[in-house]
Amino acid sequence: MTAVPLPAIPYGRQTIDEADIAAVIDVLRSDFLTQGPAIARFEESVARFTGAKHAIAVSNATAALHLGALALGLGPGDSLWTSPNTFVASANCALYCGARVDFVDIDPLTYNMSVSALAAKLESAAQEGNLPKVLVPVHFSGQPCEMDQIAALCSKYGVRVMEDASHAIGAEYRGSKIGGRTHADLCIFSFHPVKILTTGEGGMLLTHDTELYEKLIRLRSHGSTRDARFMKGSADGPWSYQQIDLGYNYRMTDLQAALGTSQMEKLPAFLARRRELAARYDRLLSSLPLITPAQHPDTLSSWHLYAVRLDTKRTSITRLALYEGLRQRQIFPQVHYIPVHTQPWYQGLGFRPGDFPESEHYYAGALSLPMYYSLTDADQDRVVAALTEILES
Ligand SMILES: *Cc1c(COP(=O)(O)O)cnc(C)c1O
């Protein structure tokens, strides 16, 4: 008899139901595959859910970060600061604009940008006449950064704020949803399949600033407008559009937007299950030599990731051995994140290992365990049993 292989458990995956499939098929049968009514419906549904005034759907969150940086006026001679504990896209958006990047090290408890490190770095930058134009705090794993403190510091020094909330749709800070309060000029979501909800590829910018909104709408589509208020001189005729900025084609399709609107219906259930799974991991892992993710009392995470750290004081097992042991058992964890400043591209810009020690220390022992809506209690028990077996061997 051959043993039936155990089903694979990835670290993240999407949930697509029959209603999602029907919503996409409806668009395929309609008149518009792109630039049609499904876009506005999706934007409205995210704006309503978060409490944001304006929402702009784009092709992915990387494009959203690029457009956001452009709309905030980032260009050559400027700099943008972000967290080293993030996906490279949070930093790359500055380089796309010809600007410089720098990083603010993380808080050792939340793994988010440290408020005290930010305060110190802003103070010395102000003395050197070297302040950034834009700050990109990243709500790592879905846990919001300390946005009131960050917003206060940025307003003191005249720095614009763009939240990278790729992990954090549905997360809450001091009782309000991320994107819904004016902590920042812009807030960005990602709808990649591993994120909380998906459109295949997709992203969105949220803002309360109508001027930024109008600029972003143009930048999403070549920098062109049909709005007489923005045209230079008089229009050539009723067919007329004018290109008044250098924009891109960063549009989302109606297929994707219809999927997004259908996914939004399930968002409260997605979030509830992720929160349940996180609480269950907290409980089931408490006796293992793992540091479970600490939560700041002002935050309610959306739990995109459940990132643990090896407690090296209590085990001699390495992160590599744990990673491989899980994979042998058909469980596929991930590591988030290799600190951005240690990537070869950023080493080429002059950053060095040791520059942001808290993020490097965190990374050395980090492992993201399976976390997604359709993970069953039995799947999660299998993950916990595998961790126990490896760590107690
Ligand atoms: C996923 C992710 C992005 C990029 O999102 P895409 O939609 O894949 O472009 C940016 N920042 C963070 C923190 C992410 O996790």
Side-chain angles (χ1 to χ4, degrees):
M1 249 178 67
T2 50
V4 180
L6 286 167
I9 302 179
Y11 88 92
R13 66 160 294 143
Q14 71 276 18
T15 294
I16 298 290
D17 67 10
E18 290 304 319
D20 293 330
I21 293 167
V24 174
I25 289 173
D26 279 351
V27 173
L28 285 169
R29 297 206 162 100
S30 78
D31 291 335
F32 295 97
L33 301 186
T34 190
Q35 294 178 280
I39 300 292
R41 275 201 292 273
F42 183 36
E43 290 170 340
E44 272 158 32
S45 99
V46 178
R48 203 178 326 115
F49 177 82
T50 55
K53 187 163 173 197
H54 302 292
I56 304 102
V58 292
S59 45
N60 54 63
T62 304
L65 287 159
H66 182 194
L67 291 191
L70 284 173
L72 293 173
L74 196 75
D78 297 326
S79 68
L80 174 151
W81 293 0
T82 187
S83 168
N85 183 32
T86 187
F87 185 56
V88 291
S90 316
N92 287 344
C93 63
L95 305 182
Y96 299 158
C97 299
R100 281 172 294 115
V101 180
D102 203 352
F103 301 93
V104 180
D105 210 352
I106 61 170
D107 178 289
L109 283 179
T110 63
Y111 318 139
N112 275 331
M113 182 181 284
S114 154
V115 171
S116 56
L118 176 64
K121 196 172 172 105
L122 284 170
E123 195 184 324
S124 65
Q127 278 160 12
E128 291 156 20
N130 210 359
L131 283 166
K133 182 170 263 180
V134 178
L135 184 79
V136 178
V138 181
H139 304 311
F140 175 73
S141 76
Q143 176 172 210
C145 297
E146 293 166 75
M147 287 311 296
D148 281 344
Q149 290 87 336
I150 288 175
L153 281 167
C154 287
S155 106
K156 176 176 167 193
Y157 291 101
V159 179
R160 312 291 298 268
V161 183
M162 170 161 69
E163 296 168 84
D164 185 343
S166 292
H167 301 180
I169 191 166
E172 294 177 24
Y173 174 72
R174 294 191 164 166
S176 57
K177 291 208 172 63
I178 288 299
R181 262 174 63 188
T182 48
H183 293 118
D185 298 282
L186 293 167
C187 175
I188 275 144
F189 293 143
S190 170
F191 308 122
H192 183 276
V194 298
K195 307 288 163 72
I196 311 269
L197 68 83
T198 193
T199 59
E201 294 277 1
M204 197 173 278
L205 298 115
L206 303 182
T207 185
H208 291 263
D209 180 329
T210 302
E211 226 174 283
L212 274 178
Y213 168 71
E214 283 166 346
K215 178 134 195 155
L216 287 162
I217 291 287
R218 287 197 299 275
L219 288 173
R220 168 173 75 179
S221 200
H222 309 283
S224 67
T225 186
R226 289 177 184 280
D227 187 332
R229 285 176 305 155
F230 303 118
M231 291 202 184
K232 316 281 179 212
S234 57
D236 264 5
W239 57 84
S240 199
Y241 65 88
Q242 288 185 352
Q243 186 198 337
I244 61 171
D245 293 307
L246 182 59
Y248 296 82
N249 178 354
Y250 279 168
R251 296 186 300 257
M252 178 180 272
T253 66
D254 280 51
L255 301 161
Q256 293 167 307
L259 177 55
T261 305
S262 178
Q263 290 261 299
M264 280 299 290
E265 309 248 331
K266 292 176 276 281
L267 180 55
F270 287 173
L271 292 165
R273 178 59 182 159
R274 284 173 180 272
R275 286 171 183 150
E276 204 171 79
L277 287 165
R280 217 166 164 268
Y281 267 138
D282 285 348
R283 203 167 61 242
L284 297 173
L285 300 177
S286 62
S287 61
L288 293 179
L290 294 173
I291 300 164
T292 54
Q295 299 300 295
H296 190 289
D298 289 343
T299 68
L300 179 63
S301 181
S302 52
W303 294 104
H304 162 55
L305 301 174
Y306 189 89
V308 297
R309 263 193 316 141
L310 267 181
D311 187 348
T312 48
K313 292 193 196 81
R314 290 159 66 208
T315 183
S316 54
I317 299 210
T318 63
R319 191 252 310 265
L320 178 63
L322 188 56
Y323 177 88
E324 285 180 338
L326 289 170
R327 289 176 69 93
Q328 277 158 13
R329 291 163 176 80
Q330 291 298 298
I331 296 163
F332 296 90
Q334 258 295 0
V335 172
H336 301 92
Y337 284 99
I338 301 168
V340 177
H341 68 282
T342 67
Q343 293 288 354
W345 186 266
Y346 284 85
Q347 296 283 295
L349 297 178
F351 294 100
R352 290 293 170 260
D355 284 350
F356 302 98
E358 291 295 352
S359 68
E360 293 168 38
H361 175 69
Y362 158 72
Y363 162 67
L367 201 63
S368 299
L369 302 182
M371 170 56 88
Y372 47 91
Y373 174 74
S374 61
L375 189 76
T376 64
D377 286 4
D379 294 333
Q380 193 181 29
D381 290 342
R382 217 180 101 199
V383 175
V384 173
L387 287 165
T388 307
E389 216 175 272
I390 301 161
L391 288 165
E392 292 186 345
S393 65

mmCIF file of all heavy atoms in Angstrom, residues 4 14 22 73 98 112 125 188 249 286 302 315 320-321 345 376 381:
data_model
loop_
_atom_site.group_PDB
_atom_site.id
_atom_site.type_symbol
_atom_site.label_atom_id
_atom_site.label_comp_id
_atom_site.label_asym_id
_atom_site.label_seq_id
_atom_site.Cartn_x
_atom_site.Cartn_y
_atom_site.Cartn_z
ATOM 1 N N VAL A 4 -1.119 7.760 1.250
ATOM 2 C CA VAL A 4 -1.724 8.913 0.576
ATOM 3 C C VAL A 4 -0.982 10.156 1.077
ATOM 4 O O VAL A 4 -0.885 10.362 2.288
ATOM 5 C CB VAL A 4 -3.228 9.030 0.932
ATOM 6 C CG1 VAL A 4 -3.852 10.231 0.231
ATOM 7 C CG2 VAL A 4 -3.954 7.757 0.564
ATOM 8 N N GLN A 14 -6.112 32.297 -1.569
ATOM 9 C CA GLN A 14 -7.371 33.012 -1.786
ATOM 10 C C GLN A 14 -8.576 32.114 -1.529
ATOM 11 O O GLN A 14 -8.449 30.897 -1.519
ATOM 12 C CB GLN A 14 -7.422 33.527 -3.233
ATOM 13 C CG GLN A 14 -7.617 32.460 -4.298
ATOM 14 C CD GLN A 14 -6.317 31.785 -4.728
ATOM 15 O OE1 GLN A 14 -5.301 31.853 -4.041
ATOM 16 N NE2 GLN A 14 -6.356 31.114 -5.873
ATOM 17 N N ALA A 22 -19.585 34.026 -10.719
ATOM 18 C CA ALA A 22 -20.740 34.594 -11.441
ATOM 19 C C ALA A 22 -20.524 36.087 -11.712
ATOM 20 O O ALA A 22 -20.873 36.587 -12.787
ATOM 21 C CB ALA A 22 -22.024 34.359 -10.642
ATOM 22 N N GLY A 73 4.086 64.622 -5.018
ATOM 23 C CA GLY A 73 5.110 65.534 -5.530
ATOM 24 C C GLY A 73 6.523 65.023 -5.375
ATOM 25 O O GLY A 73 7.480 65.795 -5.508
ATOM 26 N N GLY A 98 12.688 58.882 -9.108
ATOM 27 C CA GLY A 98 13.995 59.543 -9.116
ATOM 28 C C GLY A 98 14.394 60.086 -7.760
ATOM 29 O O GLY A 98 15.345 60.863 -7.648
ATOM 30 N N ASN A 112 6.642 46.893 13.577
ATOM 31 C CA ASN A 112 6.284 48.069 12.781
ATOM 32 C C ASN A 112 7.330 49.162 13.000
ATOM 33 O O ASN A 112 8.102 49.108 13.971
ATOM 34 C CB ASN A 112 4.915 48.604 13.225
ATOM 35 C CG ASN A 112 3.762 47.890 12.546
ATOM 36 O OD1 ASN A 112 3.906 47.410 11.415
ATOM 37 N ND2 ASN A 112 2.623 47.831 13.216
ATOM 38 N N ALA A 125 17.458 64.886 10.995
ATOM 39 C CA ALA A 125 17.295 65.307 9.592
ATOM 40 C C ALA A 125 16.928 66.785 9.504
ATOM 41 O O ALA A 125 17.378 67.499 8.600
ATOM 42 C CB ALA A 125 16.243 64.440 8.895
ATOM 43 N N ILE A 188 -2.956 52.787 1.066
ATOM 44 C CA ILE A 188 -2.904 51.851 -0.065
ATOM 45 C C ILE A 188 -3.222 50.421 0.348
ATOM 46 O O ILE A 188 -2.703 49.926 1.353
ATOM 47 C CB ILE A 188 -1.511 51.949 -0.714
ATOM 48 C CG1 ILE A 188 -1.554 53.114 -1.705
ATOM 49 C CG2 ILE A 188 -1.125 50.682 -1.450
ATOM 50 C CD1 ILE A 188 -0.316 53.867 -1.780
ATOM 51 N N ASN A 249 -0.695 53.826 -17.764
ATOM 52 C CA ASN A 249 -1.900 53.007 -17.784
ATOM 53 C C ASN A 249 -1.810 52.042 -16.616
ATOM 54 O O ASN A 249 -1.200 50.980 -16.716
ATOM 55 C CB ASN A 249 -2.058 52.257 -19.110
ATOM 56 C CG ASN A 249 -3.300 51.377 -19.085
ATOM 57 O OD1 ASN A 249 -3.966 51.251 -18.056
ATOM 58 N ND2 ASN A 249 -3.625 50.765 -20.193
ATOM 59 N N SER A 286 1.470 28.383 22.970
ATOM 60 C CA SER A 286 2.005 29.106 24.135
ATOM 61 C C SER A 286 3.109 28.362 24.870
ATOM 62 O O SER A 286 3.945 28.992 25.507
ATOM 63 C CB SER A 286 0.873 29.486 25.087
ATOM 64 O OG SER A 286 0.262 28.309 25.553
ATOM 65 N N SER A 302 -5.762 42.847 11.045
ATOM 66 C CA SER A 302 -6.522 42.084 10.042
ATOM 67 C C SER A 302 -5.861 40.716 9.812
ATOM 68 O O SER A 302 -6.382 39.915 9.059
ATOM 69 C CB SER A 302 -6.563 42.870 8.728
ATOM 70 O OG SER A 302 -5.246 43.238 8.360
ATOM 71 N N THR A 315 15.459 27.279 22.655
ATOM 72 C CA THR A 315 15.668 26.158 21.730
ATOM 73 C C THR A 315 16.964 26.362 20.954
ATOM 74 O O THR A 315 17.379 27.509 20.728
ATOM 75 C CB THR A 315 14.495 26.004 20.734
ATOM 76 O OG1 THR A 315 14.747 24.855 19.923
ATOM 77 C CG2 THR A 315 14.325 27.213 19.835
ATOM 78 N N LEU A 320 16.103 27.475 9.821
ATOM 79 C CA LEU A 320 16.168 26.661 8.613
ATOM 80 C C LEU A 320 15.651 25.240 8.884
ATOM 81 O O LEU A 320 14.889 24.681 8.080
ATOM 82 C CB LEU A 320 17.616 26.612 8.089
ATOM 83 C CG LEU A 320 17.839 25.742 6.852
ATOM 84 C CD1 LEU A 320 17.041 26.277 5.653
ATOM 85 C CD2 LEU A 320 19.328 25.655 6.503
ATOM 86 N N ALA A 321 16.026 24.669 10.028
ATOM 87 C CA ALA A 321 15.577 23.310 10.365
ATOM 88 C C ALA A 321 14.051 23.290 10.552
ATOM 89 O O ALA A 321 13.368 22.345 10.125
ATOM 90 C CB ALA A 321 16.276 22.819 11.628
ATOM 91 N N TRP A 345 20.118 45.190 -4.617
ATOM 92 C CA TRP A 345 19.878 46.483 -5.262
ATOM 93 C C TRP A 345 20.140 47.625 -4.286
ATOM 94 O O TRP A 345 20.760 48.642 -4.636
ATOM 95 C CB TRP A 345 18.435 46.568 -5.797
ATOM 96 C CG TRP A 345 18.233 47.830 -6.589
ATOM 97 C CD1 TRP A 345 17.750 49.026 -6.146
ATOM 98 C CD2 TRP A 345 18.581 48.015 -7.962
ATOM 99 N NE1 TRP A 345 17.755 49.949 -7.151
ATOM 100 C CE2 TRP A 345 18.255 49.367 -8.277
ATOM 101 C CE3 TRP A 345 19.120 47.192 -8.958
ATOM 102 C CZ2 TRP A 345 18.457 49.898 -9.554
ATOM 103 C CZ3 TRP A 345 19.312 47.730 -10.232
ATOM 104 C CH2 TRP A 345 18.991 49.063 -10.513
ATOM 105 N N THR A 376 -8.688 25.205 8.050
ATOM 106 C CA THR A 376 -9.631 24.620 9.027
ATOM 107 C C THR A 376 -8.934 24.439 10.377
ATOM 108 O O THR A 376 -7.702 24.473 10.462
ATOM 109 C CB THR A 376 -10.121 23.240 8.556
ATOM 110 O OG1 THR A 376 -8.985 22.359 8.505
ATOM 111 C CG2 THR A 376 -10.788 23.310 7.185
ATOM 112 N N ASP A 381 -4.397 22.436 13.502
ATOM 113 C CA ASP A 381 -3.900 21.441 14.465
ATOM 114 C C ASP A 381 -2.713 20.681 13.881
ATOM 115 O O ASP A 381 -1.775 20.335 14.590
ATOM 116 C CB ASP A 381 -5.014 20.460 14.856
ATOM 117 C CG ASP A 381 -6.104 21.121 15.709
ATOM 118 O OD1 ASP A 381 -5.838 22.207 16.274
ATOM 119 O OD2 ASP A 381 -7.212 20.555 15.806
#
